[in-house]
Every structure is written in C-alpha cells, then in structure tokens.
Amino acid sequence: MSEKKRIAVLGATGSIGKSSLDIISRDKDNFEIVLLSSHQSRQKLDNLKDQFPSAVSCLTSEENGTEKLLSAISDIKPDITINGISGAAGLKPSLAAIEAGSHLALANKETIVMAGQLVMGLAKEKKVNIIPVDSEHSAIFHLLKFFTEETHTDARRHEENKESLISEVILTASGGPFRNYTLQQMEKVTVQDALAHPTWNMGPKITIDSASMANKGLEIIEACVFFNLAPDKIKVVIHPQSIVHSMIRLCNGVIYAQLSKPDMRHPIHDAIYWPVTTPSTLEPVSFDSLTLEFIKPDIVKFPMLNLAWEAAKKGALYPNVYNAANEIAVAAFLEQKIRFLDIPKITEHVLQKDWSANNLELESILDTDKNARLIAKKYIE
Ligand code: NDP
Ligand code: MG
C-alpha cells in the first residue's frame, strides 16, 4: 500500500471495535484511525482518544450524537468504515458511509437484514465495496473470490453464472450453550446461562441470539442478500468447535470450506486488506488434537431458524420485522421480563401481521421497525 488507509471504527468500545483496533494497531504504516464512536461508554472512548489522538470521536448517546456521527462520516470520508455498532442503530451510519464513498467492512448484520436491497443498491451506485466481517459471510465471500476472480479468466461471465455454480451455502453454527439441552431444560434457563457462549466472546445481544439461534436466522437472511441467493440454498449445520466458518457446495457436488480459529480478528483483517490477501500474525489452526463435528440443527428447539427462512422467502419487510421483534424480545429477556423460550413466540406473533408492502425506502423501513417494536412490546405486556 502506498498511502495510509484512513479508517473509521464505529462501535469502537464493543467486542468488534476492540478487535478492529487491535488489528489496525498492528500495521500503523498502512492504516490511520480517523474516526471512533461509542454510544454511552464515555470513559472508554476518552481512553481511546488518548491512544489515537488524531481521530475524531463521537458519543452517540449525547444530544444530537447520532447526527454528529453521521456528519462526521460524511465530512471525513474515511477510506474504510468498520461498522461494529450493535443492533438497528447501525443502519444509518452504514448508509452515511456508503454515501460518503467509504468502503464498508460490515459486522453490523442488521444493516443488511433491515435494508438489504437499499444498501446493496446504494453501494453499487456509489461504487463502494461492502466486505462482510460476520465470520460466516466473510468465509463465503473469500471462498467465492477464488471462483469468480483468480481461477477464472472470464470473471464477469462467471459472476453471471453464480446462481447455477453454487448449489448451497452452508452456514456453520456453534449451537450455543443450549445445544444439548432438552426443550424442558430450555424453559428454565437464566440470562446468565444464555450469556455463557462456549466458543465466541461477543457482546450481550449477539450472545443471546447465538443461544436462541436467532443469530443464525439473521445470518440466513444476510447470506441471501450478500450473495443474491434464494433462501432454499442457504443451509445451516451445527459445528460446536467453530473452526469451519462456512462452506459452499458447488454444482459438481464438491464442498469448499474456510477454517480458522474462532477469532473475529481474522475476518476483520481480511476485510480491511481486501482484495489483497496479506500475512497475519494471528495464531493459525493446528490439527494436533483437533476433532471437528457436524450435527443437524434441531428446528423444534430453535424455532428462530424456520422463522428466518420464512421471513427471507416472504421478503418485503418481513426480514426487517424479524430483526425488530427479536431485538425487543432479547432486551426483555435480558431485563428478566420474559423467559428464554418466549423470544421466538414474540417474534412469531409480530411476523404473523401483514408486512408484505413492498416499499423498501428508508422511511418505510424505519417506520416498520418502529411498528414491529411497538407490537412486540404490547404483546410482552
Ligand atoms: P458490543 O455490544 O460488544 O458493542 C457494540 C458497540 O456499539 C459499542 O461500541 C457500543 O457503544 C455501540 N452501540 C451500542 N448501541 C448503540 C447505539 N444505539 N448507537 C450507536 N452505537 C451503539 O457488540 P458486538 O461487538 O458484539 O457486535 C457489534 C455488531 O457486530 C453486531 O451487529 C453483531 O451482530 C455483529 N457481530 C459481532 C460479532 C462478535 O464477535 N462480537 C460476530 C459477528 C457479528 P457503548 O460501548 O458505548 O455501549
Ligand atoms: Mg456470525
């Protein structure tokens, strides 16, 4: 790289934010942090500001904090924006980054689930790349690179054939802490039980989503949008070791997989250097005493999976509603207002309304998000 890449890290105080700052700090010759954001962790943000004095910082819980962040993105125009904000709050900053012509290294899956069509359309128009950071999608994205660019001379024609080339995308899931629980046992689990993820160390919302498999549900929808594939082509397999991050089965029946340690710094590294594959100092997978298992998911114990496939098939505003209802249910579970198994019940209740209106403009997406949350809250009460 000749000039330093100017990077924004949104959600800098979170789990993805911390991993991003670690990766960027390893290569100060090539990267410079120009913008940092957090929501309410003022002290942590101030500490980061001391570490990266040339970066602008935004605390979004402050009055007009979100607006300030959005204008900072559009003024600064980072080369790359890493979006590690949790939840629906990540959508507007993603759009602001794309509008500003910044490439987006996207961990905030809600951006794609809520507004896939809008976001992908805008990225195309503004000629910016959206590189997935979610480990499964990162795996598929980089696997596909080998079939669309490097091994094929006529890449463009190959891209057009993607639909017939890929027969399945297979997302792996750790199965979370309740993989071996019976439904009866799952009725009684506590917040603490659900927060104890066996392989990944992540923020609280996504950790609960991993326990209910809503995280995989969101990722099913995310994969349909990112790779422009029908929901039927997205499969899920439980892989408790979280070493295989996802697989693609091509039309010849052969499966290709991506393996690395369960460490989000891998997909972050790959996203910020994309399209170049560069050496990393992260610990590689060792095959000494490694056993890999693959198990069919139990769709009765984890109804959030089928709800996601249905929402993806129905399209329109259903994916957005799946996300909004689940966010409200997870917040209520974290506040101990509902039981763990109420999460899918609440989500299903909200999805049963008619969300087939096909207006996928930002205003309609945000209105729907609000309505779905209100319905979920009313149902909880
Ligand atoms: P964390 O909860 O650890 O961090 C969230 C970050 O976003 C914090 O910096 C937080 O600031 C900020 N934030 C919270 N609420 C708002 C808001 N309303 N407006 C603006 N900023 C806000 O989350 P994770 O790092 O675990 O996850 C971030 C995103 O990445 C999620 O979309 C998640 O699904 C996705 N992801 C995460 C993975 C992981 O390993 N953690 C793996 C794959 C995807 P503050 O500290 O001040 O609250
Ligand atoms: Mg993931």
Side-chain angles (χ1 to χ4, degrees), residues 109 134-137 206 215-216 219 222:
K109 58 193 83 184
D134 210 351
S135 54
E136 297 75 4
H137 307 75
I206 184 174
N215 181 48
K216 216 44 56 182
E219 291 181 356
E222 191 186 0

Side-chain angles (χ1 to χ4, degrees), residues 23-305:
I23 285 293
I24 297 165
S25 301
R26 290 167 187 235
D27 190 358
K28 293 204 172 89
D29 292 342
N30 284 311
F31 297 109
E32 178 193 359
I33 296 182
V34 290
L35 176 62
L36 295 162
S37 88
S38 78
H39 192 54
Q40 48 196 354
S41 311
R42 185 186 296 274
Q43 187 58 52
K44 283 190 197 162
L45 190 64
D46 285 347
N47 295 345
L48 291 178
K49 184 83 180 106
D50 292 341
Q51 259 175 278
F52 306 101
S54 58
V56 168
S57 67
C58 287
L59 190 73
T60 46
S61 64
E62 268 184 351
E63 209 186 332
N64 301 324
T66 302
E67 286 68 29
K68 281 184 199 156
L69 175 63
L70 301 179
S71 357
I73 296 169
S74 80
D75 293 344
I76 293 170
K77 298 187 177 31
D79 294 314
I80 304 171
T81 300
I82 301 178
N83 187 347
I85 292 174
S86 59
L91 174 58
K92 281 187 181 171
S94 286
L95 289 169
I98 302 170
E99 282 283 0
S102 170
H103 296 304
L104 192 57
L106 190 61
N108 179 265
K109 58 193 83 184
E110 293 83 355
T111 293
I112 295 294
V113 173
M114 292 176 73
Q117 217 169 301
L118 179 74
V119 167
M120 298 307 271
L122 188 65
K124 201 169 174 187
E125 187 191 315
K126 300 283 173 184
K127 296 192 173 56
V128 310
N129 299 317
I130 304 183
I131 303 120
V133 167
D134 210 351
S135 54
E136 297 75 4
H137 307 75
S138 166
I140 300 157
F141 186 82
H142 288 91
L143 281 168
L144 286 176
K145 187 171 86 170
F146 296 111
F147 295 99
T148 52
E149 286 171 27
E150 295 184 356
T151 55
H152 288 264
T153 44
D154 189 351
R156 195 180 47 78
R157 212 187 77 220
H158 204 70
E159 178 64 23
E160 285 162 10
N161 289 342
K162 204 166 74 181
E163 182 71 30
S164 51
L165 172 75
I166 303 169
S167 63
E168 279 175 3
V169 156
I170 306 161
L171 302 176
T172 51
S174 70
F178 308 139
R179 179 170 66 85
N180 293 323
Y181 279 41
T182 61
L183 253 182
Q184 230 173 359
Q185 286 172 310
M186 281 170 75
E187 271 169 20
K188 297 191 200 90
V189 297
T190 63
V191 170
Q192 222 173 0
D193 297 333
L195 284 175
H197 197 279
T199 47
W200 292 99
N201 185 7
M202 313 177 284
K205 160 68 170 49
I206 184 174
T207 305
I208 302 296
D209 283 349
S210 299
S212 69
M213 296 200 73
N215 181 48
K216 216 44 56 182
L218 293 169
E219 291 181 356
I220 290 168
I221 300 168
E222 191 186 0
C224 293
V225 177
F226 255 127
F227 308 112
N228 198 16
L229 293 170
D232 285 339
K233 284 197 168 188
I234 317 294
K235 310 287 176 191
V236 171
V237 66
I238 304 284
H239 167 48
Q241 293 78 19
S242 303
I243 295 288
V244 174
H245 295 294
S246 274
M247 301 177 263
I248 50 176
R249 192 198 300 271
L250 300 189
C251 53
N252 58 358
V254 172
I255 293 177
Y256 293 82
Q258 187 263 14
L259 285 74
S260 57
K261 289 226 158 188
D263 181 341
M264 288 307 291
R265 291 176 300 175
H266 276 295
I268 293 166
H269 170 103
D270 293 345
I272 63 172
Y273 288 98
W274 194 86
V276 184
T277 305
T278 51
S280 102
T281 46
L282 299 170
E283 195 188 341
V285 168
S286 154
F287 285 103
D288 301 346
S289 75
L290 181 66
T291 305
L292 300 180
E293 298 165 280
F294 299 95
I295 307 147
K296 194 178 162 174
D298 184 335
I299 52 169
V300 179
K301 266 165 57 184
F302 298 105
M304 290 306 284
L305 287 176

